[in-house]
Amino acid sequence: MILARIQKLSVAIPENLAEMLEEEIIFGRIKSQERLTEEMVAERYGVSRSPVREALRLLERDGLVVREARRGIWVSPMSQRDFDEIYMCRIPLEGLIARQAAESDHPDKRAEYDTLIADLKEAQAKNDVRQFFIADVRGSFIHYTLAQNKTLMRLLAGLEKQALRYRFHAYEQNPKIIQLSLEDTTRICEAIIEGDGEAAQKLTEKLIHEIWQTMRTGILDSFGRG
Amino acid sequence: MILARIQKLSVAIPENLAEMLEEEIIFGRIKSQERLTEEMVAERYGVSRSPVREALRLLERDGLVVREARRGIWVSPMSQRDFDEIYMCRIPLEGLIARQAAESDHPDKRAEYDTLIADLKEAQAKNDVRQFFIADVRGSFIHYTLAQNKTLMRLLAGLEKQALRYRFHAYEQNPKIIQLSLEDTTRICEAIIEGDGEAAQKLTEKLIHEIWQTMRTGILDSFGRG
DNA sequence: CGACACCATAATGTATACAATATACACGTC
DNA sequence: GACGTGTATATTGTATACATTATGGTGTCG
């Protein structure tokens, strides 16, 4: 019974709501600084306010919305300052996860990454930004699984969702960025497959630093210094 | 009207609840792996389950409790693995915040840190662990304020509360640790006052790495490899 | 005696009703 | 005409009632 299974899977309403809203925010369908009232969200998804409140707490945790007590909730504004903060933190943390993933000796490691890289290239060939993103997120998930580091996973979850907003924005402005991003992800995965933790860490730090600087001018044009 | 003001300040029930529970967990009055039922907490603090649920979400965000869907919530278990994960992440993030705090040129910087260091020394002289902790947390707050980096602040908030649990445990096992911790905090603050970002970052990374290794054996004895 | 099914119970998850508060607009006063 | 006060309204915050589900015990059947 497929339906039952879907029912079963979708039992955690707050998490599901949060995921849907996340996607809307990341891909800009809900715009920056737009207000989200609990009732509107509740009505839109046909649930009561209770799970909506919990979903919004989850989004707040990941920095996608900001909340002012007794005033309301807005989609986080975007700014170059925020962008810089996110990438500044991503560099060492992504470096750490790459190192730990590289040091793992899980048997399916190579196979997982090979299919991932194939998916990334396919998405890029078809110029399908959404598919590229989904594959990229799956890549992070593979890193997490290999690294077996719950703390790092928790911290990065709260960074990558915000990072995706800026990445999507940059791709829209300048599609060439997706090519760079693909190359970076591919090279990082290859370094992880190699198994040299130190090298994987250093390379990841270097590449994220580079793409940060590359994206930076575009972000500055869009949002100003913030 | 002082009472009105207190009322005003304590309006955010979930945040207040979370703070109280945090303290209980950090200082071990609520023990590791103890179950927290919503109703118990609600009854204990004389509120309904709604704000309790939100408070528990906050604790979950900061890694102090773990939640299993439709099963319940428990105070996070402690283990050497967890301890290692936390310190591994703290090193670069505390390094970053030290750097940014050092690069800030806020006029009250020196004065703030001077009174902080005095408080730390006083607490240490009186052997008052609780006061020492409170001062230490205030130190982090000064760093945050100077660094003006909300993202970093958000990430560190979710690490330091957990770190405090382990630090408190270590102090109880071996009071000498508090002396080392005081020295480290003092030296970091002095480096930040100096204003050399690079040096402050490197020193912070080095000292946190050292105290991690120092605490490690004691943690191992208490919790096993985990 | 063991295993499986059923049911009681307790806890979480959701919906709804009520309370408190922030905002905007109108009215009156200076 | 400008400013302040009061009130209406919309929205968040809290309490409570109801629904769903995980768990442990009991009883029966093999």
Side-chain angles (χ1 to χ4, degrees):
Chain A
M1 205 84 129
I2 293 186
L3 202 80
R5 189 154 162 202
I6 290 170
Q7 281 282 14
K8 186 78 182 180
L9 283 173
S10 65
V11 124
I13 297 181
E15 279 76 7
N16 281 25
L17 274 178
E19 266 180 53
M20 289 192 278
L21 290 170
E22 274 163 20
E23 227 192 89
E24 306 258 0
I25 294 171
I26 288 169
F27 291 116
R29 290 192 295 272
I30 301 179
K31 291 212 172 50
S32 188
Q33 289 178 295
E34 189 172 326
R35 182 166 188 187
L36 294 177
T37 72
E38 296 175 357
E39 208 157 2
M40 272 177 48
V41 177
E43 198 168 352
R44 179 169 171 189
Y45 292 99
V47 294
S48 79
R49 278 177 52 216
S50 308
V52 170
R53 280 181 73 82
E54 307 217 359
L56 291 174
R57 283 266 186 201
L58 295 174
L59 293 185
E60 188 191 7
R61 175 188 69 185
D62 292 335
L64 292 176
V65 303
V66 292
R67 169 193 211 106
E68 283 180 57
R70 287 200 181 273
R71 289 202 57 232
I73 291 193
W74 290 263
V75 175
S76 306
M78 293 172 84
S79 69
Q80 195 196 34
R81 179 187 202 99
D82 236 61
F83 172 74
D84 284 340
E85 290 181 4
I86 292 161
Y87 268 77
M88 194 181 298
C89 295
R90 275 190 82 200
I91 291 173
L93 296 180
E94 296 277 2
L96 271 176
I97 202 120
R99 177 190 207 113
Q100 296 201 285
E103 286 167 354
S104 151
D105 56 350
H106 194 283
D108 309 339
K109 194 161 105 176
R110 174 163 240 126
E112 289 271 8
Y113 280 117
D114 282 346
T115 61
L116 173 71
I117 291 172
D119 287 0
L120 285 165
K121 286 187 173 153
E122 187 190 321
Q124 198 253 338
K126 290 195 300 184
N127 221 14
D128 184 336
V129 174
R130 199 169 175 283
Q131 188 188 336
F132 176 77
F133 265 107
I134 290 171
D136 211 78
V137 169
R138 188 157 64 83
S140 301
F141 188 73
I142 298 176
H143 299 346
Y144 296 158
T145 309
L146 290 173
Q148 301 250 44
N149 188 325
K150 281 182 195 167
T151 304
L152 197 41
M153 191 170 150
R154 190 161 55 83
L155 295 180
L156 276 171
L159 273 182
E160 294 198 331
K161 283 167 193 167
Q162 270 194 296
L164 279 179
R165 282 181 89 192
Y166 288 96
R167 290 174 66 190
F168 180 69
H169 178 82
Y171 294 160
E172 278 194 320
Q173 300 289 313
N174 177 6
K176 234 173 46 191
I177 297 269
I178 202 171
Q179 176 66 28
L180 292 174
S181 193
L182 167 71
E183 283 166 16
D184 286 0
T185 301
T186 307
R187 287 173 68 189
I188 290 171
C189 291
E190 283 165 356
I192 292 175
I193 293 174
E194 283 305 307
D196 182 343
E198 182 79 20
Q201 180 172 19
K202 285 278 176 282
L203 179 70
T204 301
E205 288 173 354
K206 177 170 160 286
L207 294 181
I208 294 186
H209 185 87
E210 279 174 11
I211 202 145
W212 173 21
Q213 297 306 321
T214 304
M215 288 170 70
R216 206 158 183 275
T217 53
I219 299 287
L220 177 60
D221 294 341
S222 303
F223 306 112
R225 192 137 267 126
Chain B
M1 205 86 129
I2 295 187
L3 203 78
R5 193 159 158 196
I6 289 169
Q7 281 282 15
K8 187 81 182 178
L9 284 173
S10 65
V11 125
I13 298 180
E15 279 75 8
N16 281 27
L17 274 178
E19 266 182 52
M20 288 192 278
L21 289 170
E22 273 163 21
E23 227 191 90
E24 306 259 358
I25 293 171
I26 288 169
F27 292 116
R29 291 193 294 272
I30 300 179
K31 292 212 173 49
S32 188
Q33 291 179 295
E34 190 172 323
R35 181 165 190 188
L36 294 177
T37 72
E38 296 174 356
E39 209 157 3
M40 273 176 49
V41 177
E43 198 168 352
R44 179 169 170 190
Y45 292 99
V47 293
S48 80
R49 278 176 53 215
S50 308
V52 170
R53 280 180 73 82
E54 307 218 358
L56 291 175
R57 284 264 185 202
L58 294 174
L59 293 185
E60 188 191 7
R61 176 188 67 183
D62 293 335
L64 291 176
V65 303
V66 290
R67 169 193 211 107
E68 284 181 56
R70 287 200 180 272
R71 289 201 58 232
I73 291 192
W74 290 264
V75 176
S76 306
M78 294 172 82
S79 69
Q80 197 199 33
R81 181 190 200 97
D82 236 61
F83 172 75
D84 284 340
E85 290 181 4
I86 291 161
Y87 269 77
M88 195 181 297
C89 296
R90 276 190 81 199
I91 290 173
L93 296 180
E94 297 277 2
L96 272 177
I97 202 119
R99 178 192 207 113
Q100 296 200 285
E103 286 167 354
S104 152
D105 57 352
H106 194 281
D108 309 339
K109 193 161 104 176
R110 176 161 239 128
E112 288 273 8
Y113 280 117
D114 281 348
T115 61
L116 173 71
I117 291 172
D119 286 0
L120 286 165
K121 286 191 172 151
E122 186 189 322
Q124 197 253 341
K126 291 195 300 185
N127 221 15
D128 185 336
V129 174
R130 198 170 175 284
Q131 189 188 336
F132 175 77
F133 266 107
I134 290 170
D136 211 77
V137 169
R138 187 158 64 83
S140 301
F141 187 74
I142 298 176
H143 299 346
Y144 296 158
T145 308
L146 291 173
Q148 301 250 46
N149 188 324
K150 281 182 194 166
T151 305
L152 197 41
M153 192 169 149
R154 190 161 56 83
L155 294 180
L156 276 171
L159 273 181
E160 294 197 331
K161 283 167 193 167
Q162 270 194 297
L164 279 179
R165 283 181 88 192
Y166 287 96
R167 291 173 64 189
F168 180 70
H169 178 82
Y171 294 161
E172 279 193 320
Q173 301 289 313
N174 177 7
K176 233 172 47 190
I177 297 268
I178 202 170
Q179 176 66 29
L180 292 173
S181 192
L182 168 70
E183 285 165 13
D184 286 0
T185 301
T186 307
R187 286 173 68 190
I188 289 171
C189 291
E190 283 166 356
I192 292 175
I193 293 174
E194 284 305 308
D196 182 343
E198 181 79 20
Q201 179 172 19
K202 284 279 175 284
L203 179 70
T204 301
E205 288 173 353
K206 176 168 160 287
L207 293 181
I208 293 186
H209 186 87
E210 279 174 12
I211 204 145
W212 173 21
Q213 297 307 320
T214 305
M215 288 169 69
R216 207 157 181 277
T217 53
I219 300 287
L220 177 60
D221 294 342
S222 301
F223 305 113
R225 191 136 268 126

